[in-house]
Amino acid sequence: MTEEEKRLSRRFYKAEQEAGFVEKHETRTAQTQSASYKLAFRDTEFLLREELRPVRFQLELLKTEMLLDEAGIGSTLVCYGSARIPAPEKVEERLAAANTPEEKAIAERLVANARYYDEARKLARIASQCAIVEKGMRQFVICSGGGPSIMEAANRGASEVGAETIGLNIVLPHEQAPNPYVTPRLAFQFHYFALRKMHFLLRARAVAVFPGGFGTFDEFFELLTLIQTGKMKPIPILLFGAEFWNRVVNFEALVEEGVVNRRDLELFTPVETAEDAWEHITGYYGIDCFPKFAE
């Protein structure tokens, strides 16, 4: 059946067709130029009203879900991490920008963690080279927050081996844009943090958590809470950088204070290298794929 035959067989016109009729036939009068006369789904001012928040929630949920489904993405390997740790090739530039002893000390700490940029990039390459497909859907597609630093490294690693990679950006008061390694058709922008975080986990089959700040803490601890409370099934959570995490979070103290159980510390696995992380993921799921990473 041709598209014209399909159109004629429908009982009602599609929304896009009727929108086309408006553009083609609408007469300019005081009535037709009134905001009230606009088709509701084409009225931006109406959609941005306070009362339409539930509708905007639904749109942010549906748009990403539908496009990822259409792209054949069955699951993701999510990478959380800092937006400030420099890429190894930019460490000298970062150090040179420090003007005071305090700034220099901070720059040196960030530079010391630059190795995790390489590990995120390597993990993404390894997972992407496996190119696992199950039931016609691509598995362990690399997904990041779409920003710089660790997020960029993850998208970069996947892109370097010719794989598509997802970026879930968020609108911020300051200027920001997706890093250049995100696949354009899989670059998304969110208004609501809640919906963005939901999409991080809806398809997540494993999560790699690298050193980071408030945003990384938020995402990491919310993930732990979802699994701890049984709201989400357990998945491999790879915590990169024992030195960093043990310095900034006293996990043992949480157990000693009785606010978490010791078994809760088994929800994540400390790792240092991409190879260790991927070995844990493949072991967890019984997958036999470990491509050699080309330096």
Side-chain angles (χ1 to χ4, degrees):
M1 185 181 290
T2 66
E3 287 301 315
E4 180 63 15
E5 288 172 333
K6 288 180 181 177
R7 183 183 70 80
L8 293 173
S9 69
R10 291 192 185 98
R11 179 165 297 179
F12 299 105
Y13 289 115
K14 294 173 68 175
E16 62 182 337
Q17 290 176 299
E18 298 229 329
F21 297 159
V22 171
E23 292 179 357
K24 186 175 181 180
H25 303 300
E26 186 172 82
T27 303
R28 294 181 66 85
T29 67
Q31 291 77 19
T32 64
Q33 297 308 296
S34 170
S36 65
Y37 194 73
K38 288 183 181 178
L39 288 167
F41 57 83
R42 303 189 84 192
D43 188 343
T44 303
E45 282 190 29
F46 175 68
L47 290 174
L48 293 177
R49 287 175 59 156
E50 195 76 11
E51 299 90 337
L52 271 289
R53 181 177 289 120
V55 175
R56 294 195 296 274
F57 263 61
Q58 187 174 20
L59 289 173
E60 287 211 340
L61 177 63
L62 279 173
K63 181 179 180 180
T64 305
E65 178 69 13
M66 291 170 65
L67 293 181
L68 290 179
D69 191 54
E70 289 170 6
I73 296 173
S75 71
T76 56
L77 169 49
V78 175
C79 294
Y80 293 146
S82 174
R84 303 186 185 192
I85 292 173
E89 64 266 25
K90 294 183 179 180
V91 295
E92 295 301 325
E93 179 184 330
R94 184 66 181 83
L95 288 169
N99 297 314
T100 66
E102 181 183 9
E103 288 178 356
K104 184 177 180 182
I106 292 173
E108 288 173 349
R109 292 301 304 171
L110 287 170
V111 167
N113 285 320
R115 67 186 183 276
Y116 293 114
Y117 182 104
D118 276 339
E119 295 304 326
R121 181 180 174 188
K122 189 186 299 184
L123 177 61
R125 291 187 69 167
I126 291 172
S128 299
Q129 282 176 313
C130 278
I132 297 167
V133 176
E134 295 176 0
K135 297 180 180 179
M137 302 291 279
R138 291 181 286 162
Q139 308 298 318
F140 298 103
V141 177
I142 297 301
C143 175
S144 85
S149 190
I150 296 297
M151 295 173 280
E152 173 190 282
N155 296 127
R156 181 177 180 179
S159 177
E160 286 171 337
V161 295
E164 290 197 314
T165 178
I166 304 163
L168 304 182
N169 285 76
I170 187 85
V171 176
L172 298 173
H174 55 271
E175 184 179 356
Q176 59 90 41
N179 69 66
Y181 303 104
V182 175
T183 301
R185 73 169 181 147
L186 300 179
F188 300 95
Q189 183 171 217
F190 290 84
H191 170 59
Y192 298 107
F193 265 108
L195 273 298
R196 179 183 185 239
K197 290 198 288 184
M198 181 176 287
H199 275 295
F200 272 130
L201 299 180
L202 278 175
R203 280 178 164 77
R205 204 165 171 187
V207 174
V209 184
F210 293 85
F214 289 162
T216 303
F217 275 57
D218 177 41
E219 292 153 350
F220 174 43
F221 282 101
E222 181 168 63
L223 171 57
L224 291 179
T225 302
L226 287 169
I227 296 176
Q228 180 200 47
T229 57
K231 296 292 286 184
M232 177 178 168
K233 292 181 179 179
I235 60 173
I237 303 173
L238 299 313
L239 192 63
F240 279 79
E243 181 184 356
F244 171 85
W245 288 104
N246 289 334
R247 182 167 180 253
V248 299
V249 181
N250 192 334
F251 292 108
E252 284 296 326
L254 293 175
V255 174
E256 291 167 5
E257 292 293 332
V259 292
V260 301
N261 294 320
R262 182 161 296 280
R263 66 175 177 273
D264 293 331
L265 301 188
E266 298 174 4
L267 295 176
F268 57 88
T269 302
V271 295
E272 291 298 329
T273 68
E275 290 86 353
D276 288 344
W278 187 244
E279 184 176 4
H280 181 80
I281 293 169
T282 54
Y284 186 93
Y285 289 108
I287 296 168
D288 184 18
C289 181
F290 205 101
K292 188 174 181 181
F293 176 72
E295 296 289 350

